[in-house]
Amino acid sequence: MGDRAVSRRLTSRQWRVMSFLALHGTATTVEVAVAVGVPRLTAHRDLTRLHGAGLVERRRSDEDRTHTWWYDVTAEGADLVGRDLAASGRPVPLQLGRRRWNEADGLLFLPLLEVSRQNLGRCELFQWLTTMDTSVWLRGHGLAHLRADGFGVWLEDGRCLRFLVHVDNARISGLLSEEEQRTAGLEVLLAGYRRTDPAVPVGAVLVVARDADHEDHLLEDLARRPVRAPIAISNIDLLGRQWPNEAVWRVPGEDGTRQRLIDLAP
């Protein structure tokens, strides 16, 4: 069956599902439902339809007691999405159809999408770049030495915040001392900013520490040795309990009061 015939048989919502998988990588039914803004059963039906058409593939682990299906776009599906983007004059992202999720997607991207849908007209995740496209964006601003897990633009109450995201996912060796374990990975996150001469063109650099203890040590380190970039810090445990646009961010050198995401805007 030709590409045009396949395209005509898909609904606009199924196109959004397929495009989401091509642009963002492997996802579960629940993640697709949140991203596209439909009920879980609707997402399941669309994914089943796309799977039957050979545009999406699925897999699950025998060791997973929840028997969760994980979906990826196939090469044919990615090619269709790429052609559609090119035909409409939009850029075709790097690694289309071959992307993988990172922690920033689960901690900020999907939650901010859900907040946007719960508060239509009041707030919106206007833009989100994955790791590879964030690297391209940084290179375009003369900051190729920086490595970030994502870039976003958040709109709320008529205000706008552009931000970078770093998640501290360093694996801690048991050979390190207790003090070394507290700071392991944090210095790596900030090394690029300590030698950055040009200003980073964002309102906030969001750093997500592994837990509250590591967050405190990072704040202490930044108070001793400040960086030019506008850093704001939270931790994985807290973001697992609250929405990322709520008062979960702390700014080095201030009184420790947590701020809302939009209040980090200049």
Side-chain angles (χ1 to χ4, degrees):
M1 186 179 297
D3 291 350
R4 292 184 179 178
V6 173
S7 300
R8 284 196 297 267
R9 292 179 58 184
L10 297 180
T11 67
S12 60
R13 189 182 63 240
Q14 289 164 352
W15 260 105
R16 294 204 309 274
V17 170
M18 185 169 67
S19 298
F20 171 74
L21 292 173
L23 291 166
H24 295 281
T26 306
T28 65
T29 303
V30 173
E31 291 168 340
V32 170
V34 171
V36 181
V38 297
R40 182 182 182 281
L41 182 58
T42 301
H44 171 73
R45 289 171 177 166
D46 286 340
L47 288 165
T48 300
R49 167 75 179 84
L50 292 167
H51 178 257
L55 301 173
V56 162
E57 58 188 7
R58 65 186 184 186
R59 55 185 168 77
R60 61 184 176 190
S61 172
D62 293 335
E63 299 177 358
D64 181 4
R65 295 183 179 181
T66 66
H67 305 294
T68 299
W69 284 109
W70 293 85
Y71 293 88
D72 290 280
V73 70
T74 62
E76 181 182 356
D79 183 61
L80 283 175
V81 173
R83 293 188 186 194
D84 180 69
L85 290 171
S88 62
R90 290 172 290 174
V92 179
L94 297 172
Q95 294 188 325
L96 183 70
R98 295 181 289 112
R99 297 184 167 188
R100 292 295 177 265
W101 285 68
N102 62 32
E103 286 190 276
D105 293 302
L107 291 170
L108 279 96
F109 172 60
L110 282 179
L112 287 176
L113 277 183
E114 183 63 21
V115 171
S116 301
R117 293 200 174 90
Q118 292 181 9
N119 299 272
L120 290 175
R122 179 170 171 260
C123 53
E124 178 185 0
L125 181 60
F126 182 75
Q127 184 179 13
W128 177 265
L129 299 181
T130 55
T131 305
M132 181 64 71
D133 291 321
T134 298
S135 296
V136 174
W137 184 87
L138 286 166
R139 190 178 303 118
H141 287 84
L143 300 167
H145 61 284
L146 294 180
R147 295 292 181 269
D149 297 310
F151 165 87
V153 178
W154 178 247
L155 309 177
E156 185 170 348
D157 295 334
R159 302 170 66 191
C160 175
L161 174 70
R162 291 154 56 95
F163 61 87
L164 287 167
V165 182
H166 297 266
V167 179
D168 181 9
N169 56 6
R171 296 181 179 180
I172 304 303
S173 168
L175 300 177
L176 298 178
S177 67
E178 182 177 350
E179 181 59 32
E180 289 173 326
Q181 289 184 27
R182 288 175 178 172
T183 57
L186 303 179
E187 183 60 32
V188 175
L189 286 173
L190 297 174
Y193 292 99
R194 295 200 189 284
R195 63 187 183 90
T196 293
D197 183 38
V200 182
V202 294
V205 176
L206 307 180
V207 178
V208 183
R210 289 190 303 280
D211 52 42
D213 187 45
H214 285 84
E215 178 186 343
D216 289 340
H217 280 82
L218 181 55
L219 285 164
E220 292 171 5
D221 182 56
L222 285 166
R224 291 193 304 269
R225 298 185 298 156
V227 298
R228 184 178 181 185
I231 304 288
I233 307 167
S234 188
N235 65 77
I236 292 175
D237 296 337
L238 184 57
L239 288 176
R241 302 191 304 269
Q242 294 184 237
W243 297 112
N245 69 312
E246 294 178 345
V248 296
W249 303 99
R250 296 165 69 188
V251 176
E254 299 193 0
D255 60 3
T257 301
R258 294 191 182 272
Q259 300 183 28
R260 296 189 308 146
L261 182 61
I262 197 61
D263 290 336
L264 301 174

